[in-house]
Amino acid sequence: MADQHPEIADLLSEHRRFDPPAAFAAAATITDPGLYARGAEDPEAFWASQAGELEWYTPWTRVLDWAPPHAKWFTGGTLNASVNCVDRHVRGPRRNKAALIWEGEPGDRRTLTYFDLYRQVSQFANVLTRLGVRRGDRVALYMPLIPELAIAMLACARIGAVHSVVFGGFSAESLRDRINDAQATLLVTADGGWRRGAVVPLKQMADEALREAPSIKNVVIVQRLQGSPVPVPLQEGRDHWWHRLMMDAPLTCDPERMDAEDMLFILYTSGTTGKPKGIVHTTGGYLTQVAATTRWVFDLKEDDVYWCTADIGWVTGHSYLVYGPLANGATVVMYEGAPDWPARDRVWEVIERYGVTILYTAPTAIRAFMRWGTEWPGKRDLTSLRLLGSVGEPINPEAWVWYHRFIGGERCPIVDTWWQTETGGMMIAPLPGLTRTKPGSATRPLPGISAEIRRDDGTDIPVGGGLLALTRPWPSMLRGIYGDMDRYVKTYWSRWTPDIYFTGDGAKRDADGFFWVLGRVDDVLNVAGHRIGTMEVESALVDHPQVAESAVVGRPHEIKGQALCAFVTVKEGVHTSDVLAAELKDHVAKKIGAIAKPDDIIFAADLPKTRSGKIMRRLLRDIAEGKALGDTTTLADPGVVARLKDQYQGTE
Ligand code: WT7
């Protein structure tokens, strides 16, 4: 891509290292390199001092209780997450500070102060209680990116209910499966949301999901589409309008005193099997790490205007749109819709309008912005920006340098943050006033975090490439997979010894100790920053009546990072065609959601298999990438590959 941008070629070749800009470093919160040493010398004392920044009802008696692979942090301590995110601020000078500055895709705008948030969270907590939700119950949230989503999360936290947010782009079936797995008793949704000028009919999809989700007793619906022609039939006794319930909800609600280890939320993410995993996060450790990393890595200051472009349906939205920034009393911008609606300068327009100072987005978005051209950001005043963040996938150096020059005006540090749904908070990222950065590297583990590059046999690789391992427990680590402790142990803690966490990522460490995360080494793909399990897509494909077998692999994609390439064999007598290919793509969208739609469907007479019947994914990847064939001597029928390859090249 650099050839399309001769302006960045010099930056790429000239200096591959970027020191913190002097003006930024001079005003940065963290400038003491001793923080790394303190985190390494006594991680427990270090994290305890961070936990001390939160408000607790009763202090913990033990910082860490580690019986590998099961950790408890801050045991004996009690606190409430909504109190930490809202009540604390209302008692002081932040009372009337903007907490959420929200903009809907059609252009509607709302600002909620901390007091507004306090009021609505308390009221909605009472609504939940009145509908029978009790401490420990699970509440499913299937909503557009509107303030009510954050309010509902915090209201759950206030009464000790566990929220399970399901991204609004997921299908009815995905919602149904997540509700059933968690046995949620109440669903909060909306009549719909807006995406690229079209209505996303959330309530309609929810109704479809609820036909086979008997645990749900009540549904609360936010009215987002006033005046839209989409009909929203209400089911008597089950469905309630949000605004009606809020009208007569009591104004205050005593928060529950939660144990540090009480569950705060479940968030489903894809793994290497067909079934998504319900990642469990608890209260004290999670809040400690997301609050601390928000302060350090974003250098958050009282008057910052912070914008994280992620949807709350993903972990980034949980940790760095809701809990981390609100725990710090930040002003958070929230934008509902697409970045190119109505025009390709929407993101820059939002930054200009609100004077955004910190922007946290994904490499896939940055690559799309690059492709759209510098004239779009060039039209807008971006001088308010002082720090830029990246998350979700490896950022290619070209995109990094473009972001630095054209968005950051060469004055903003870039923080490339590596972490996962499972880690809850950031793990490898720079401290922007302190850490020298290299485009494409997330730099070093944060203070208090230990990571290594390991060989398959478990030995450490001080310099070089291997598997990324986390070698000490951390406060915001997942505590389990909901309802499946065995899978938790097997997936994450069985690669080496039970005290070492396997990330699923390959990475290398250079001679300066910098980590370069290269991507997944398992059957998980990262498409436009979203995690997709190949098995899930394969199951969706074979669910189609005309499909016999399928194998899904990733291939490099200029904007999305990876694209989904599905090899499909059809049943006897089925005629393959473009029409069938389109139908299969739609079938996957219906089963999982539009994000999992394959980019390519390649019909094959057979799939290449080893003599023991295992599909040879490596070969399929090579074919999908258009590479020369690898070693095919282990193939049961070597002719299969040659035929496949001819066919695929024929489709280009
Ligand atoms: C996977 C986790 C972290 C929140 C969003 C994604 C990849 C994430 C980076 C980064 C290189 C990254 C990894 C990781 N990833 N951030 N800065 N550099 N790779 O959360 O859906 O749980 O996915 O995203 O492969 O394992 P997720």
Side-chain angles (χ1 to χ4, degrees):
M1 232 187 240
D3 48 329
Q4 294 167 20
H5 293 276
E7 314 92 306
I8 64 173
D10 59 321
L11 269 179
L12 267 174
S13 55
E14 254 175 49
H15 26 201
R16 305 281 304 195
R17 285 162 175 68
F18 293 77
D19 283 315
F24 183 95
T29 311
I30 294 178
T31 50
D32 171 18
L35 200 66
Y36 285 107
R38 286 200 295 282
E41 273 154 26
D42 190 346
E44 290 184 34
F46 175 78
W47 284 116
S49 76
Q50 298 304 322
E53 302 279 321
L54 298 176
E55 186 174 298
W56 298 76
Y57 294 114
T58 46
W60 55 90
T61 49
R62 236 179 127 169
V63 176
L64 173 64
D65 185 344
W66 182 218
H70 304 286
K72 290 182 181 155
W73 283 86
F74 311 116
T75 47
T78 59
L79 77 168
N80 184 287
S82 87
V83 168
N84 275 280
C85 291
V86 183
D87 301 40
R88 272 207 285 178
H89 312 311
V90 165
R91 287 185 226 119
R94 292 181 185 138
R95 186 179 180 87
N96 300 312
K97 177 178 176 175
L100 294 178
I101 299 178
W102 174 81
E103 187 166 305
E105 195 190 70
D108 39 345
R109 295 177 209 162
R110 284 159 65 190
T111 298
L112 278 80
T113 64
Y114 271 96
F115 190 81
D116 293 331
L117 199 56
Y118 164 75
R119 191 52 99 210
Q120 294 190 39
V121 167
S122 305
Q123 285 190 284
F124 196 64
N126 288 322
V127 165
L128 292 173
T129 304
R130 285 183 166 188
L131 291 174
V133 178
R134 299 287 171 263
R135 184 174 171 141
D137 289 352
R138 275 80 55 218
V139 173
L141 309 177
Y142 184 59
M143 298 171 75
L145 195 52
I146 55 177
E148 284 80 1
L149 176 48
I151 291 167
M153 292 162 83
L154 293 167
C156 287
R158 195 166 192 88
I159 63 169
V162 176
H163 57 72
S164 166
V165 181
V166 180
F167 172 56
F170 277 123
S171 65
E173 289 189 29
S174 295
L175 173 63
R176 176 199 66 195
D177 292 347
R178 286 158 174 74
I179 289 173
N180 288 336
D181 188 77
Q183 286 294 292
T185 56
L186 185 140
L187 170 69
V188 186
T189 186
D191 45 3
W194 293 100
R195 188 80 189 173
R196 288 211 170 79
V199 165
V200 184
L202 292 168
K203 173 61 163 62
Q204 210 171 291
M205 308 239 268
D207 282 338
E208 199 181 317
L210 293 183
R211 282 205 286 273
E212 294 169 57
S215 61
I216 295 287
K217 303 295 175 239
N218 288 286
V219 180
V220 180
I221 306 132
V222 177
Q223 192 173 42
R224 165 93 191 96
L225 302 178
Q226 290 101 318
S228 124
V230 177
V232 183
L234 296 194
Q235 185 173 310
E236 186 67 35
R238 186 197 72 178
D239 296 356
H240 321 266
W241 285 114
W242 171 292
H243 58 280
R244 291 272 170 80
L245 296 171
M246 289 289 268
M247 260 186 315
D248 48 28
L251 299 177
T252 59
C253 170
D254 279 345
E256 286 283 317
R257 294 180 172 222
M258 305 306 290
D259 190 276
E261 281 298 322
D262 276 335
M263 217 183 282
L264 180 62
F265 65 85
I266 304 170
L267 182 61
Y268 287 84
T269 189
S270 295
T272 51
T273 72
K275 190 173 176 283
K277 303 174 282 198
I279 302 300
V280 170
H281 283 289
T282 57
T283 309
Y286 173 80
L287 211 57
T288 296
Q289 189 168 337
V290 299
T293 51
T294 300
R295 281 193 299 277
W296 305 337
V297 176
F298 296 128
D299 186 52
L300 191 72
K301 303 263 177 22
E302 198 56 51
D303 56 357
D304 271 314
V305 178
Y306 166 88
W307 184 18
C308 165
T309 65
D311 192 284
I312 294 180
W314 310 108
V315 75
T316 306
H318 281 62
S319 302
Y320 296 105
L321 200 158
V322 180
Y323 288 110
L326 295 181
N328 284 292
T331 293
V332 179
V333 171
M334 189 170 174
Y335 165 63
E336 177 190 32
D340 54 352
W341 190 268
R344 289 176 162 179
D345 62 347
R346 184 63 181 265
V347 169
W348 322 122
E349 185 189 3
V350 168
I351 291 172
E352 179 182 79
R353 178 172 304 127
Y354 304 110
V356 171
T357 58
I358 301 171
L359 175 69
Y360 192 33
T361 193
T364 185
I366 299 166
R367 289 190 296 265
F369 301 147
M370 271 176 95
R371 168 64 82 71
W372 297 342
T374 52
E375 63 270 28
W376 297 101
K379 288 203 296 184
R380 300 287 176 176
D381 179 4
L382 305 182
T383 54
S384 57
L385 288 171
R386 64 179 199 89
L387 182 131
L388 303 173
S390 172
V391 63
E393 52 176 312
I395 180 166
N396 46 312
E398 290 84 353
W400 196 105
V401 167
W402 186 92
Y403 197 29
H404 176 70
R405 174 165 277 186
F406 294 107
I407 306 306
E410 290 177 73
R411 66 182 183 278
C412 305
I414 293 183
V415 291
D416 174 3
T417 60
W418 178 88
W419 56 292
Q420 309 177 302
T421 304
E422 291 87 343
T423 70
M426 294 171 188
M427 301 296 283
I428 303 179
L431 298 174
L434 204 59
T435 317
R436 158 182 282 193
T437 53
K438 303 182 189 183
S441 167
T443 74
R444 324 165 41 178
L446 284 165
I449 300 297
S450 304
E452 279 177 13
I453 309 288
R454 294 193 155 212
R455 290 188 187 82
D456 251 330
D457 67 9
T459 50
D460 177 37
I461 302 177
V463 177
L467 304 172
L468 181 62
L470 302 172
T471 53
R472 262 182 208 281
W474 62 101
S476 64
M477 64 193 266
L478 76 166
R479 301 301 197 264
I481 294 175
Y482 193 76
D484 199 347
M485 244 343 152
D486 281 352
R487 193 174 173 196
Y488 165 77
V489 176
K490 279 200 200 93
T491 310
Y492 303 109
W493 308 94
S494 299
R495 184 101 192 186
W496 301 292
T497 48
D499 54 340
I500 307 292
Y501 174 93
F502 174 50
T503 60
D505 278 328
K508 62 176 187 192
R509 188 163 48 192
D510 68 19
D512 297 332
F514 277 56
F515 285 71
W516 301 74
V517 177
L518 304 168
R520 308 287 308 192
V521 296
D522 52 12
D523 291 328
V524 171
L525 303 181
N526 191 324
V527 178
H530 299 144
R531 205 157 135 179
I532 295 170
T534 52
M535 275 277 283
E536 277 177 77
V537 183
E538 288 162 8
S539 314
L541 285 165
V542 296
D543 176 77
H544 189 280
Q546 297 183 308
V547 173
E549 199 176 23
S550 98
V552 172
V553 298
R555 65 165 168 85
H557 185 278
E558 196 187 348
I559 306 285
K560 299 197 281 189
Q562 281 189 303
L564 288 170
C565 185
F567 293 85
V568 171
T569 62
V570 290
K571 288 186 182 156
E572 202 61 42
V574 172
H575 172 69
T576 61
S577 64
D578 291 350
V579 176
L580 181 60
E583 193 181 310
L584 294 182
K585 290 182 188 180
D586 287 343
H587 189 71
V588 175
K590 186 167 180 324
K591 298 289 289 183
I592 304 175
I595 54 163
K597 226 177 180 175
D599 296 84
D600 316 314
I601 300 269
I602 299 155
F603 292 112
D606 301 288
L607 294 176
K609 291 190 186 142
T610 60
R611 274 178 246 280
S612 64
K614 253 189 93 174
I615 292 176
M616 300 177 76
R617 293 170 174 283
R618 182 178 49 78
L619 272 177
L620 292 178
R621 275 195 291 270
D622 287 351
I623 295 166
E625 283 175 33
K627 270 195 209 148
L629 289 186
D631 175 18
T632 59
T633 52
T634 48
L635 262 185
D637 173 9
V640 167
V641 179
R643 286 198 296 278
L644 263 178
K645 201 183 169 213
D646 285 349
Q647 222 175 311
Y648 186 51
Q649 284 170 345
T651 66
E652 277 178 330

